Amino acid sequence: MSRLPNEAVAEDKACRCHRISLRCLPTPPMAVIVRWTAFSHSSLAFFPCPSATACLSLPRRTFSRFTRRLSLATSPPAYRESGDPTSSKVLLKGMEFSELEKWVKSRGFRSGQALMLWKCLYGNNNWAQSCDELAGLNKEFRKMLSENSSLMALSVKDVLTASDGTRKILFTLDDGSVIETVVIPCDRGRTTVCVSSQVGCAMNCQFCYTGRMGLRKHLSTAEIVEQAVFARRLFSSEFGSITNVVFMGMGEPLHNIDNVIKAAAIMVDEQGLQFSPRKVTVSTSGLVPPLKRFLRESTCALAVSLNATTDEVRNWIMPINRKYNLSLLLETLREELLSKHKYKVLFEYVMLAGVNDSMEDAKRLIELVRGIPCKINLISFNPHCGTQFKPTPEEKMIEFRNVLAEAGVVVFLRLSRGDDQMAACGQLGKPGYIQPPLLRVPERFQMAV
């Protein structure tokens, strides 16, 4: 983390903002981190930088009301695998099997005992959360584990039930942060758990409630994996097997790519949770470099949150597009998928009334995805407190879908699940008093919002 030079900050009276110049910086930053101190409280907000040669503007009022410290993140902050910084215990769910086996052997025990432990954590319908639940392990091994390891990274704060049966689990982390996980049952025998990868999110997508939080921290591998473990432990008896995992909860998964790739690998391990790689889907707003890495290193599925057919609209509703625009994002997918056999990317398209739901948008979308093996989910926008957007009527969503289907595009409608408990797509999290700025609405869309 590097401190922002004083000469990089200048007040722009004409635009009523402070302008942060990034041209003089030797390393392209991933984000500007703004720390505000007001009265006795401090808050952090992370803003993704559009490019290394651009300026990032923040409202002047924000700066005048709060004492600010600015710094640049050239890489995601590193967080300990153990939630308690004073603890020397290792979190078992933060390790892949090869790491767990090596650790067990370093403590003087056999590889076979590592496999038995692995199955206690993830298999045999056990999903152990304490050493007392490690059935079949000998006394000495359990004693060593009790003294040197921790089986839990999360604690359940609350479980909310929506009218359609969707469940939202609120988890508390060791530092007191709260994350949300959603379990979505389906009549066809498929039950999906939607996991979070960060506390908050840095991407500032204008239609997303989580984005109003800013980024507060990355989740560790164990904190991600344990969401899926808890989903099975809490709801397998009620819903049957939890069959699918989607990384579509709080956060931008590829902004926390190291821990996300590792967590996904643990989930698909054949001796562990045994999810099919095709049924573990990692979503991204379009971070191109980690997207390439994910496609090359992971066997799991990829979803790309597209949500617009022009750079003008996507620059507004998804600021990350200012750094990785539609052309770069889609061309990267075309190139990378050439080496993937029978692999389809999922495009997510949240429909916003009067913004991205015209029949011209549908026709442009057909051309944008041409040549990319894909399917498209049309997602109903889920309103939340303070939003400036409205959902597209269902009749118009069907009309939009039909235009795509007639052109041979594989397309599905995804209506809201769990919205009466703020458990639907784009509704997770709890913004604080300090929030990232809402971006200026392009003039031609001002009547729509």
Side-chain angles (χ1 to χ4, degrees), residues 363-387:
K363 293 171 184 176
R364 281 193 294 266
L365 184 55
I366 292 166
E367 294 305 315
L368 284 175
V369 303
R370 193 176 300 279
I372 301 175
C374 68
K375 52 187 177 181
I376 297 175
N377 275 357
L378 302 180
I379 302 171
S380 178
F381 170 67
N382 299 296
H384 50 77
C385 179
T387 184

Side-chain angles (χ1 to χ4, degrees), residues 315-366:
N315 285 348
W316 163 37
I317 64 174
M318 300 183 70
I320 193 64
N321 194 73
R322 302 177 187 189
K323 186 167 186 178
Y324 306 114
N325 64 23
L326 280 169
S327 177
L328 175 61
L329 173 61
L330 296 174
E331 192 56 38
T332 298
L333 287 170
R334 286 188 181 91
E335 292 174 1
E336 293 296 323
L337 293 182
L338 288 174
S339 60
K340 304 281 282 188
H341 182 59
K342 293 184 178 180
Y343 190 99
K344 286 187 176 182
V345 65
L346 170 66
F347 286 114
E348 302 165 290
Y349 197 92
V350 177
M351 301 199 67
L352 308 171
V355 174
N356 65 358
D357 62 350
S358 69
M359 295 309 110
E360 288 73 22
D361 280 304
K363 293 171 184 176
R364 281 193 294 266
L365 184 55
I366 292 166

